[in-house]
Amino acid sequence: MPTPSLAALPIRRLTLRDLNACADLSEDRGWPREEYKWGLLLAAGKGYGIDDPDGGLVTACVVTEYGPYSEPDLGAIGMVLVAERHARQGIGRRLMRHILSAMGTTPLTLHATPYGRPLYEELGFKVTGQAEMLHGHFRPGGRTAAVNTRAATAEDIATILRLDEEVLGTDRTHLITRLPAFADQFRVAEENGRIIGYAAAWPNMHTHVVGPLIARDTETAQALLTSLAAGTDRPLRTDIDVRHEELRAWARERGLAPVALNSVMTYGIPELPGDWSRRFAPLTVAAL
Protein backbone atom coordinates (compact mmCIF):
# COMPACT_ATOMS: atom_id res chain seq x y z
CA MET A 1 0.00 0.00 0.00
CA PRO A 2 1.40 3.41 -0.92
CA THR A 3 1.89 5.88 1.94
CA PRO A 4 -0.83 8.57 1.83
CA SER A 5 0.33 12.11 1.07
CA LEU A 6 0.61 14.46 4.04
CA ALA A 7 -2.13 16.64 2.59
CA ALA A 8 -4.54 13.69 2.68
CA LEU A 9 -3.92 12.75 6.30
CA PRO A 10 -6.84 13.85 8.51
CA ILE A 11 -6.50 16.35 11.36
CA ARG A 12 -8.06 14.98 14.53
CA ARG A 13 -8.64 16.00 18.13
CA LEU A 14 -5.99 14.87 20.58
CA THR A 15 -6.69 13.60 24.10
CA LEU A 16 -4.66 12.67 27.16
CA ARG A 17 -4.11 9.28 25.50
CA ASP A 18 -1.82 11.15 23.10
CA LEU A 19 0.37 12.55 25.88
CA ASN A 20 3.40 10.38 25.13
CA ALA A 21 3.16 11.01 21.39
CA CYS A 22 3.05 14.77 22.04
CA ALA A 23 6.09 14.53 24.32
CA ASP A 24 7.90 12.46 21.68
CA LEU A 25 7.13 15.19 19.13
CA SER A 26 8.59 17.84 21.45
CA GLU A 27 11.75 15.77 21.86
CA ASP A 28 11.96 15.21 18.10
CA ARG A 29 12.22 18.99 17.60
CA GLY A 30 14.84 19.42 20.29
CA TRP A 31 12.40 20.74 22.90
CA PRO A 32 12.12 19.28 26.41
CA ARG A 33 9.51 16.51 26.62
CA GLU A 34 7.41 18.50 29.12
CA GLU A 35 4.89 15.73 29.80
CA TYR A 36 3.59 17.58 32.85
CA LYS A 37 2.74 20.71 30.86
CA TRP A 38 1.30 18.70 27.98
CA GLY A 39 -0.98 16.96 30.49
CA LEU A 40 -2.39 20.28 31.71
CA LEU A 41 -2.89 21.63 28.20
CA LEU A 42 -4.56 18.51 26.84
CA ALA A 43 -6.91 18.41 29.86
CA ALA A 44 -7.79 22.11 29.92
CA GLY A 45 -7.63 22.82 26.19
CA LYS A 46 -8.30 21.25 22.81
CA GLY A 47 -5.48 19.37 21.14
CA TYR A 48 -5.23 18.95 17.37
CA GLY A 49 -2.87 16.73 15.42
CA ILE A 50 -2.15 14.45 12.49
CA ASP A 51 -1.15 10.82 12.92
CA ASP A 52 1.96 9.62 11.12
CA PRO A 53 1.29 6.34 9.22
CA ASP A 54 4.73 5.23 10.41
CA GLY A 55 3.86 5.91 14.05
CA GLY A 56 3.70 8.95 16.27
CA LEU A 57 2.45 12.37 15.23
CA VAL A 58 3.23 14.44 12.17
CA THR A 59 2.14 17.62 13.92
CA ALA A 60 0.31 18.83 17.03
CA CYS A 61 -0.89 21.93 18.82
CA VAL A 62 -3.25 22.93 21.63
CA VAL A 63 -5.87 25.68 21.80
CA THR A 64 -7.00 26.84 25.25
CA GLU A 65 -10.29 28.72 25.22
CA TYR A 66 -11.36 31.38 27.72
CA GLY A 67 -14.66 33.04 28.59
CA PRO A 68 -18.13 31.49 28.37
CA TYR A 69 -17.95 27.74 27.74
CA SER A 70 -20.18 27.74 24.65
CA GLU A 71 -18.98 31.09 23.27
CA PRO A 72 -15.32 31.69 24.15
CA ASP A 73 -14.10 35.27 23.86
CA LEU A 74 -10.40 34.39 23.48
CA GLY A 75 -8.31 31.41 22.42
CA ALA A 76 -4.60 30.84 23.08
CA ILE A 77 -2.62 28.67 20.65
CA GLY A 78 0.45 26.84 21.89
CA MET A 79 2.84 23.92 21.38
CA VAL A 80 2.66 24.15 17.57
CA LEU A 81 5.08 21.44 16.44
CA VAL A 82 5.87 19.58 13.23
CA ALA A 83 8.08 16.48 13.23
CA GLU A 84 11.54 17.18 11.85
CA ARG A 85 11.13 14.61 9.07
CA HIS A 86 8.01 16.43 7.85
CA ALA A 87 9.23 20.00 8.33
CA ARG A 88 9.08 22.65 5.60
CA GLN A 89 6.29 20.85 3.72
CA GLY A 90 3.40 23.16 4.64
CA ILE A 91 2.07 20.96 7.47
CA GLY A 92 2.25 23.69 10.10
CA ARG A 93 0.42 26.09 7.80
CA ARG A 94 -2.29 23.50 7.12
CA LEU A 95 -2.79 22.84 10.84
CA MET A 96 -2.95 26.57 11.64
CA ARG A 97 -5.51 27.17 8.88
CA HIS A 98 -7.60 24.37 10.38
CA ILE A 99 -7.41 26.06 13.79
CA LEU A 100 -8.43 29.42 12.35
CA SER A 101 -11.41 27.79 10.66
CA ALA A 102 -12.42 25.85 13.77
CA MET A 103 -12.25 28.95 15.98
CA GLY A 104 -14.36 31.06 13.65
CA THR A 105 -14.63 34.64 14.88
CA THR A 106 -13.02 33.97 18.28
CA PRO A 107 -9.99 36.27 18.78
CA LEU A 108 -6.70 34.40 19.16
CA THR A 109 -3.30 34.92 20.72
CA LEU A 110 0.03 33.09 20.76
CA HIS A 111 3.68 33.51 21.69
CA ALA A 112 5.87 33.16 18.61
CA THR A 113 9.54 32.33 18.37
CA PRO A 114 11.52 34.21 15.72
CA TYR A 115 11.40 30.99 13.66
CA GLY A 116 7.61 30.70 13.74
CA ARG A 117 6.69 34.37 13.49
CA PRO A 118 6.78 34.65 9.65
CA LEU A 119 4.14 31.90 9.28
CA TYR A 120 1.83 33.53 11.80
CA GLU A 121 2.24 36.92 10.13
CA GLU A 122 1.38 35.31 6.79
CA LEU A 123 -1.83 33.98 8.37
CA GLY A 124 -2.86 37.42 9.67
CA PHE A 125 -1.46 37.52 13.22
CA LYS A 126 -0.02 40.84 14.38
CA VAL A 127 2.79 41.44 16.87
CA THR A 128 1.30 43.28 19.85
CA GLY A 129 4.02 42.76 22.45
CA GLN A 130 7.03 40.77 23.60
CA ALA A 131 7.91 38.52 26.50
CA GLU A 132 11.41 37.83 27.81
CA MET A 133 12.16 34.35 29.08
CA LEU A 134 14.40 34.42 32.16
CA HIS A 135 16.08 31.39 33.74
CA GLY A 136 18.46 30.71 36.59
CA HIS A 137 18.96 30.18 40.30
CA PHE A 138 17.38 33.04 42.23
CA ARG A 139 19.71 34.90 44.61
CA PRO A 140 17.86 36.72 47.39
CA GLY A 141 19.24 40.09 48.39
CA GLY A 142 18.65 43.80 48.55
CA ARG A 143 15.76 45.51 50.26
CA THR A 144 12.98 43.17 51.31
CA ALA A 145 9.63 44.11 49.81
CA ALA A 146 7.17 45.32 52.45
CA VAL A 147 4.41 43.09 51.10
CA ASN A 148 3.00 40.13 52.98
CA THR A 149 2.65 36.83 51.14
CA ARG A 150 1.26 33.47 52.26
CA ALA A 151 0.15 30.14 50.83
CA ALA A 152 -3.21 30.33 49.08
CA THR A 153 -6.10 28.44 50.66
CA ALA A 154 -9.35 27.01 49.32
CA GLU A 155 -11.14 30.05 50.75
CA ASP A 156 -9.06 32.33 48.50
CA ILE A 157 -10.09 30.75 45.20
CA ALA A 158 -13.22 32.86 44.59
CA THR A 159 -11.28 36.09 45.23
CA ILE A 160 -8.38 34.94 43.04
CA LEU A 161 -10.79 34.15 40.21
CA ARG A 162 -12.35 37.62 40.41
CA LEU A 163 -8.93 39.27 40.41
CA ASP A 164 -7.72 37.10 37.55
CA GLU A 165 -10.72 37.93 35.34
CA GLU A 166 -10.32 41.62 36.10
CA VAL A 167 -6.64 41.59 35.11
CA LEU A 168 -6.85 39.17 32.16
CA GLY A 169 -10.13 40.50 30.79
CA THR A 170 -11.51 36.99 30.40
CA ASP A 171 -12.58 34.04 32.56
CA ARG A 172 -9.85 31.44 33.20
CA THR A 173 -11.70 29.42 35.85
CA HIS A 174 -10.89 26.07 34.21
CA LEU A 175 -7.16 26.83 34.45
CA ILE A 176 -6.91 28.68 37.74
CA THR A 177 -8.90 26.06 39.66
CA ARG A 178 -6.35 23.47 38.52
CA LEU A 179 -3.45 25.36 40.13
CA PRO A 180 -3.77 23.94 43.68
CA ALA A 181 -3.15 20.45 42.30
CA PHE A 182 -0.89 21.41 39.39
CA ALA A 183 1.53 23.79 41.12
CA ASP A 184 4.04 22.92 43.82
CA GLN A 185 3.49 26.39 45.28
CA PHE A 186 0.46 28.67 45.06
CA ARG A 187 0.73 31.96 46.96
CA VAL A 188 -1.14 35.23 47.42
CA ALA A 189 -0.01 38.73 48.40
CA GLU A 190 -2.14 40.61 50.89
CA GLU A 191 -2.65 44.15 52.15
CA ASN A 192 -4.96 44.76 55.09
CA GLY A 193 -6.54 41.37 54.53
CA ARG A 194 -7.19 42.06 50.84
CA ILE A 195 -5.57 39.94 48.10
CA ILE A 196 -3.54 42.20 45.77
CA GLY A 197 -1.76 39.52 43.77
CA TYR A 198 -1.10 35.83 43.36
CA ALA A 199 1.45 33.55 41.75
CA ALA A 200 2.31 29.89 41.31
CA ALA A 201 5.43 27.83 40.72
CA TRP A 202 4.98 24.53 38.88
CA PRO A 203 7.48 21.82 37.96
CA ASN A 204 8.72 21.54 34.40
CA MET A 205 11.60 19.13 33.83
CA HIS A 206 14.41 20.35 36.12
CA THR A 207 13.03 23.85 36.74
CA HIS A 208 10.13 25.55 38.48
CA VAL A 209 8.14 27.82 36.19
CA VAL A 210 6.80 30.96 37.86
CA GLY A 211 3.41 31.69 36.36
CA PRO A 212 0.89 33.04 36.43
CA LEU A 213 2.23 36.16 38.14
CA ILE A 214 -0.52 38.70 38.77
CA ALA A 215 0.26 41.66 41.04
CA ARG A 216 -0.92 45.15 41.89
CA ASP A 217 2.53 46.61 41.22
CA THR A 218 6.19 45.72 40.77
CA GLU A 219 6.90 45.54 44.51
CA THR A 220 4.10 43.01 44.94
CA ALA A 221 5.41 40.97 42.00
CA GLN A 222 8.90 40.99 43.56
CA ALA A 223 7.54 39.79 46.91
CA LEU A 224 5.65 36.93 45.28
CA LEU A 225 8.61 35.85 43.15
CA THR A 226 10.93 36.01 46.18
CA SER A 227 8.57 33.92 48.28
CA LEU A 228 8.27 31.28 45.55
CA ALA A 229 12.06 31.14 45.12
CA ALA A 230 12.45 30.52 48.85
CA GLY A 231 10.40 27.35 48.52
CA THR A 232 12.54 25.56 45.93
CA ASP A 233 16.15 24.58 45.22
CA ARG A 234 15.48 24.31 41.49
CA PRO A 235 16.33 27.03 38.99
CA LEU A 236 13.39 29.27 38.13
CA ARG A 237 11.99 30.11 34.71
CA THR A 238 9.47 32.79 33.90
CA ASP A 239 8.31 34.85 30.90
CA ILE A 240 7.92 38.52 31.77
CA ASP A 241 6.13 41.10 29.64
CA VAL A 242 8.93 43.38 28.41
CA ARG A 243 6.97 46.46 29.49
CA HIS A 244 7.74 45.48 33.09
CA GLU A 245 11.31 46.75 32.77
CA GLU A 246 11.81 47.25 36.51
CA LEU A 247 10.91 43.65 37.37
CA ARG A 248 13.08 42.28 34.56
CA ALA A 249 16.10 44.29 35.73
CA TRP A 250 15.51 43.22 39.33
CA ALA A 251 15.23 39.54 38.31
CA ARG A 252 18.45 39.72 36.31
CA GLU A 253 20.25 41.22 39.31
CA ARG A 254 19.13 38.16 41.29
CA GLY A 255 20.46 35.55 38.92
CA LEU A 256 17.75 35.07 36.29
CA ALA A 257 19.42 35.45 32.90
CA PRO A 258 17.62 36.28 29.63
CA VAL A 259 17.19 33.16 27.49
CA ALA A 260 14.85 34.18 24.68
CA LEU A 261 12.67 37.02 23.45
CA ASN A 262 9.38 35.90 21.92
CA SER A 263 6.65 37.89 20.19
CA VAL A 264 3.16 38.11 21.63
CA MET A 265 0.78 38.00 18.66
CA THR A 266 -2.96 38.46 18.29
CA TYR A 267 -5.51 37.64 15.62
CA GLY A 268 -8.88 39.38 15.43
CA ILE A 269 -8.12 41.90 18.20
CA PRO A 270 -5.62 44.80 18.30
CA GLU A 271 -4.21 43.74 21.69
CA LEU A 272 -4.88 41.40 24.58
CA PRO A 273 -7.79 42.38 26.83
CA GLY A 274 -7.43 43.29 30.50
CA ASP A 275 -4.86 45.30 32.44
CA TRP A 276 -1.32 44.57 31.27
CA SER A 277 0.17 46.64 34.12
CA ARG A 278 -0.85 43.92 36.61
CA ARG A 279 -0.17 40.97 34.28
CA PHE A 280 3.51 40.19 34.77
CA ALA A 281 3.86 36.60 33.52
CA PRO A 282 1.53 33.97 31.99
CA LEU A 283 0.85 30.57 33.49
CA THR A 284 2.67 29.30 30.40
CA VAL A 285 3.39 30.88 27.02
CA ALA A 286 1.52 27.91 25.53
CA ALA A 287 -1.72 29.12 27.15
CA LEU A 288 -2.09 32.58 28.71
Side-chain angles (χ1 to χ4, degrees):
M1 291 289 291
T3 301
S5 71
L6 293 177
L9 295 173
I11 296 172
R12 68 169 177 88
R13 285 284 302 275
L14 303 177
T15 72
L16 282 168
R17 290 189 295 274
D18 298 297
L19 178 59
N20 285 335
C22 290
D24 289 344
L25 186 58
S26 290
E27 196 169 52
D28 174 77
R29 292 315 304 255
W31 290 21
R33 289 184 61 82
E34 299 186 309
E35 289 103 329
Y36 195 64
K37 182 170 75 173
W38 272 112
L40 173 72
L41 296 171
L42 289 171
K46 295 178 178 178
Y48 295 87
I50 297 175
D51 291 310
D52 190 327
D54 295 325
L57 290 168
V58 171
T59 184
C61 77
V62 179
V63 181
T64 310
E65 298 176 347
Y66 305 99
Y69 178 76
S70 58
E71 296 182 17
D73 51 32
L74 183 66
I77 300 173
M79 309 302 282
V80 181
L81 287 164
V82 177
E84 178 64 36
R85 62 192 177 279
H86 298 303
R88 295 169 292 280
Q89 297 181 49
I91 300 302
R93 182 178 293 101
R94 180 186 166 208
L95 180 62
M96 284 299 300
R97 290 192 185 281
H98 179 87
I99 300 302
L100 294 179
S101 176
M103 295 301 292
T105 59
T106 302
L108 302 170
T109 184
L110 54 79
H111 282 68
T113 64
Y115 177 80
R117 177 175 161 178
L119 169 61
Y120 303 130
E121 288 180 325
E122 176 189 325
L123 293 169
F125 285 81
K126 307 294 184 185
V127 175
T128 56
Q130 288 184 306
E132 182 178 61
M133 182 189 296
L134 298 164
H135 178 272
H137 283 280
F138 183 88
R139 297 191 301 266
R143 184 177 64 87
T144 302
V147 177
N148 293 323
T149 72
R150 60 169 174 81
T153 68
E155 288 74 23
D156 297 322
I157 295 297
T159 302
I160 289 171
L161 288 172
R162 286 193 296 271
L163 174 62
D164 190 78
E165 184 169 0
E166 180 183 323
V167 173
L168 272 293
T170 189
D171 180 10
R172 297 199 298 175
T173 296
H174 63 309
L175 271 185
I176 303 307
T177 52
R178 284 178 161 89
L179 283 179
F182 180 72
D184 284 346
Q185 297 185 71
F186 188 22
R187 299 186 66 82
V188 296
E190 279 187 320
E191 182 181 75
N192 299 322
R194 182 172 65 93
I195 292 176
I196 57 173
Y198 82 92
W202 51 272
N204 190 35
M205 308 300 288
H206 304 297
T207 69
H208 267 119
V209 177
V210 174
L213 177 54
I214 303 295
R216 180 184 63 185
D217 49 35
T218 300
E219 185 179 33
T220 305
Q222 291 172 347
L224 284 165
L225 208 160
T226 299
S227 67
L228 292 171
T232 179
D233 293 327
R234 297 185 186 189
L236 299 182
R237 201 193 87 194
T238 190
D239 298 86
I240 300 176
D241 187 316
V242 297
R243 291 171 289 189
H244 291 295
E245 296 176 2
E246 184 179 354
L247 182 66
R248 290 164 56 214
W250 173 87
R252 288 196 294 269
E253 289 172 0
R254 279 152 184 79
L256 303 189
V259 174
L261 191 65
N262 292 325
S263 299
V264 180
M265 307 186 77
T266 58
Y267 179 93
I269 46 173
E271 60 184 4
L272 288 174
D275 180 5
W276 75 265
S277 69
R278 289 183 286 168
R279 185 178 63 235
F280 287 83
L283 192 160
T284 165
V285 295
L288 185 64

